[in-house]
PDB file of all heavy atoms in Angstrom:
ATOM      1  N   LEU A 687     -33.529 -24.593  42.303  1.00 78.00           N
ATOM      2  CA  LEU A 687     -34.545 -24.063  41.374  1.00 78.00           C
ATOM      3  C   LEU A 687     -34.089 -24.367  39.952  1.00 78.00           C
ATOM      4  O   LEU A 687     -34.941 -24.602  39.087  1.00 78.00           O
ATOM      5  CB  LEU A 687     -34.657 -22.513  41.533  1.00 78.00           C
ATOM      6  CG  LEU A 687     -35.410 -22.118  42.776  1.00 78.00           C
ATOM      7  CD1 LEU A 687     -35.182 -20.627  43.089  1.00 78.00           C
ATOM      8  CD2 LEU A 687     -36.915 -22.451  42.602  1.00 78.00           C
ATOM      9  N   MET A 688     -32.778 -24.372  39.724  1.00 76.00           N
ATOM     10  CA  MET A 688     -32.241 -24.767  38.376  1.00 76.00           C
ATOM     11  C   MET A 688     -32.659 -26.204  37.995  1.00 76.00           C
ATOM     12  O   MET A 688     -33.054 -26.476  36.851  1.00 76.00           O
ATOM     13  CB  MET A 688     -30.708 -24.649  38.326  1.00 76.00           C
ATOM     14  CG  MET A 688     -30.233 -23.424  37.655  1.00 76.00           C
ATOM     15  SD  MET A 688     -28.456 -23.491  37.315  1.00 76.00           S
ATOM     16  CE  MET A 688     -27.798 -23.464  38.948  1.00 76.00           C
ATOM     17  N   GLU A 689     -32.542 -27.100  39.009  1.00 70.00           N
ATOM     18  CA  GLU A 689     -32.927 -28.452  38.747  1.00 70.00           C
ATOM     19  C   GLU A 689     -34.441 -28.583  38.446  1.00 70.00           C
ATOM     20  O   GLU A 689     -34.815 -29.558  37.840  1.00 70.00           O
ATOM     21  CB  GLU A 689     -32.542 -29.374  39.906  1.00 70.00           C
ATOM     22  CG  GLU A 689     -31.048 -29.497  40.071  1.00 70.00           C
ATOM     23  CD  GLU A 689     -30.673 -30.622  41.057  1.00 70.00           C
ATOM     24  OE1 GLU A 689     -31.610 -31.257  41.612  1.00 70.00           O
ATOM     25  OE2 GLU A 689     -29.476 -30.955  41.150  1.00 70.00           O
ATOM     26  N   GLU A 690     -35.203 -27.645  38.928  1.00 67.00           N
ATOM     27  CA  GLU A 690     -36.680 -27.665  38.647  1.00 67.00           C
ATOM     28  C   GLU A 690     -36.974 -26.833  37.365  1.00 67.00           C
ATOM     29  O   GLU A 690     -38.081 -26.548  37.049  1.00 67.00           O
ATOM     30  CB  GLU A 690     -37.414 -27.048  39.793  1.00 67.00           C
ATOM     31  CG  GLU A 690     -37.284 -27.849  41.123  1.00 67.00           C
ATOM     32  CD  GLU A 690     -37.929 -29.222  40.933  1.00 67.00           C
ATOM     33  OE1 GLU A 690     -38.964 -29.357  40.292  1.00 67.00           O
ATOM     34  OE2 GLU A 690     -37.303 -30.197  41.528  1.00 67.00           O
ATOM     35  N   SER A 691     -35.894 -26.447  36.609  1.00 60.00           N
ATOM     36  CA  SER A 691     -36.072 -25.613  35.383  1.00 60.00           C
ATOM     37  C   SER A 691     -36.613 -24.220  35.674  1.00 60.00           C
ATOM     38  O   SER A 691     -37.211 -23.617  34.740  1.00 60.00           O
ATOM     39  CB  SER A 691     -36.842 -26.392  34.284  1.00 60.00           C
ATOM     40  OG  SER A 691     -36.252 -27.603  34.009  1.00 60.00           O
ATOM     41  N   GLU A 692     -36.596 -23.725  36.914  1.00 73.00           N
ATOM     42  CA  GLU A 692     -37.112 -22.366  37.187  1.00 73.00           C
ATOM     43  C   GLU A 692     -35.948 -21.445  37.063  1.00 73.00           C
ATOM     44  O   GLU A 692     -35.435 -20.920  38.072  1.00 73.00           O
ATOM     45  CB  GLU A 692     -37.639 -22.410  38.658  1.00 73.00           C
ATOM     46  CG  GLU A 692     -38.890 -23.346  38.832  1.00 73.00           C
ATOM     47  CD  GLU A 692     -40.145 -22.714  38.241  1.00 73.00           C
ATOM     48  OE1 GLU A 692     -40.135 -21.521  37.881  1.00 73.00           O
ATOM     49  OE2 GLU A 692     -41.170 -23.377  38.219  1.00 73.00           O
ATOM     50  N   PHE A 693     -35.550 -21.198  35.866  1.00 72.00           N
ATOM     51  CA  PHE A 693     -34.258 -20.438  35.602  1.00 72.00           C
ATOM     52  C   PHE A 693     -34.352 -18.944  35.985  1.00 72.00           C
ATOM     53  O   PHE A 693     -33.383 -18.425  36.495  1.00 72.00           O
ATOM     54  CB  PHE A 693     -33.862 -20.577  34.139  1.00 72.00           C
ATOM     55  CG  PHE A 693     -33.670 -22.011  33.693  1.00 72.00           C
ATOM     56  CD1 PHE A 693     -34.354 -22.567  32.642  1.00 72.00           C
ATOM     57  CD2 PHE A 693     -32.742 -22.852  34.452  1.00 72.00           C
ATOM     58  CE1 PHE A 693     -34.140 -23.853  32.299  1.00 72.00           C
ATOM     59  CE2 PHE A 693     -32.546 -24.125  34.072  1.00 72.00           C
ATOM     60  CZ  PHE A 693     -33.219 -24.701  33.001  1.00 72.00           C
ATOM     61  N   ASP A 694     -35.504 -18.359  35.732  1.00 81.00           N
ATOM     62  CA  ASP A 694     -35.627 -16.903  36.082  1.00 81.00           C
ATOM     63  C   ASP A 694     -35.570 -16.697  37.616  1.00 81.00           C
ATOM     64  O   ASP A 694     -34.894 -15.775  38.058  1.00 81.00           O
ATOM     65  CB  ASP A 694     -36.959 -16.348  35.565  1.00 81.00           C
ATOM     66  CG  ASP A 694     -36.941 -16.258  34.026  1.00 81.00           C
ATOM     67  OD1 ASP A 694     -35.860 -16.186  33.489  1.00 81.00           O
ATOM     68  OD2 ASP A 694     -38.014 -16.292  33.446  1.00 81.00           O
ATOM     69  N   LYS A 695     -36.264 -17.616  38.379  1.00 83.00           N
ATOM     70  CA  LYS A 695     -36.174 -17.492  39.838  1.00 83.00           C
ATOM     71  C   LYS A 695     -34.760 -17.872  40.319  1.00 83.00           C
ATOM     72  O   LYS A 695     -34.246 -17.240  41.255  1.00 83.00           O
ATOM     73  CB  LYS A 695     -37.176 -18.465  40.456  1.00 83.00           C
ATOM     74  CG  LYS A 695     -38.619 -18.000  40.319  1.00 83.00           C
ATOM     75  CD  LYS A 695     -39.520 -18.995  41.109  1.00 83.00           C
ATOM     76  CE  LYS A 695     -40.994 -18.571  40.935  1.00 83.00           C
ATOM     77  NZ  LYS A 695     -41.889 -19.544  41.587  1.00 83.00           N
ATOM     78  N   ALA A 696     -34.165 -18.828  39.712  1.00 83.00           N
ATOM     79  CA  ALA A 696     -32.797 -19.228  40.054  1.00 83.00           C
ATOM     80  C   ALA A 696     -31.830 -18.052  39.853  1.00 83.00           C
ATOM     81  O   ALA A 696     -30.969 -17.791  40.604  1.00 83.00           O
ATOM     82  CB  ALA A 696     -32.301 -20.412  39.229  1.00 83.00           C
ATOM     83  N   LEU A 697     -32.025 -17.332  38.714  1.00 88.00           N
ATOM     84  CA  LEU A 697     -31.177 -16.242  38.357  1.00 88.00           C
ATOM     85  C   LEU A 697     -31.302 -15.102  39.413  1.00 88.00           C
ATOM     86  O   LEU A 697     -30.342 -14.433  39.844  1.00 88.00           O
ATOM     87  CB  LEU A 697     -31.543 -15.666  36.996  1.00 88.00           C
ATOM     88  CG  LEU A 697     -30.698 -14.529  36.436  1.00 88.00           C
ATOM     89  CD1 LEU A 697     -29.256 -14.881  36.342  1.00 88.00           C
ATOM     90  CD2 LEU A 697     -31.219 -14.073  35.074  1.00 88.00           C
ATOM     91  N   GLU A 698     -32.549 -14.882  39.903  1.00 87.00           N
ATOM     92  CA  GLU A 698     -32.870 -13.821  40.889  1.00 87.00           C
ATOM     93  C   GLU A 698     -32.101 -14.122  42.130  1.00 87.00           C
ATOM     94  O   GLU A 698     -31.407 -13.178  42.678  1.00 87.00           O
ATOM     95  CB  GLU A 698     -34.392 -13.805  41.093  1.00 87.00           C
ATOM     96  CG  GLU A 698     -34.778 -12.823  42.105  1.00 87.00           C
ATOM     97  CD  GLU A 698     -36.310 -12.875  42.442  1.00 87.00           C
ATOM     98  OE1 GLU A 698     -37.076 -13.331  41.553  1.00 87.00           O
ATOM     99  OE2 GLU A 698     -36.698 -12.415  43.510  1.00 87.00           O
ATOM    100  N   PHE A 699     -32.093 -15.386  42.672  1.00 85.00           N
ATOM    101  CA  PHE A 699     -31.477 -15.689  43.932  1.00 85.00           C
ATOM    102  C   PHE A 699     -29.917 -15.726  43.722  1.00 85.00           C
ATOM    103  O   PHE A 699     -29.206 -15.260  44.675  1.00 85.00           O
ATOM    104  CB  PHE A 699     -31.910 -17.037  44.413  1.00 85.00           C
ATOM    105  CG  PHE A 699     -33.288 -17.015  45.026  1.00 85.00           C
ATOM    106  CD1 PHE A 699     -34.370 -17.620  44.368  1.00 85.00           C
ATOM    107  CD2 PHE A 699     -33.505 -16.319  46.245  1.00 85.00           C
ATOM    108  CE1 PHE A 699     -35.650 -17.596  44.930  1.00 85.00           C
ATOM    109  CE2 PHE A 699     -34.763 -16.273  46.808  1.00 85.00           C
ATOM    110  CZ  PHE A 699     -35.854 -16.938  46.150  1.00 85.00           C
TER     111      PHE A 699
END
Side-chain angles (χ1 to χ4, degrees):
L687 287 165
M688 260 193 290
E689 291 196 354
E690 297 296 321
S691 300
E692 297 283 352
F693 300 124
D694 291 335
K695 288 183 180 178
L697 183 61
E698 180 185 334
F699 285 110

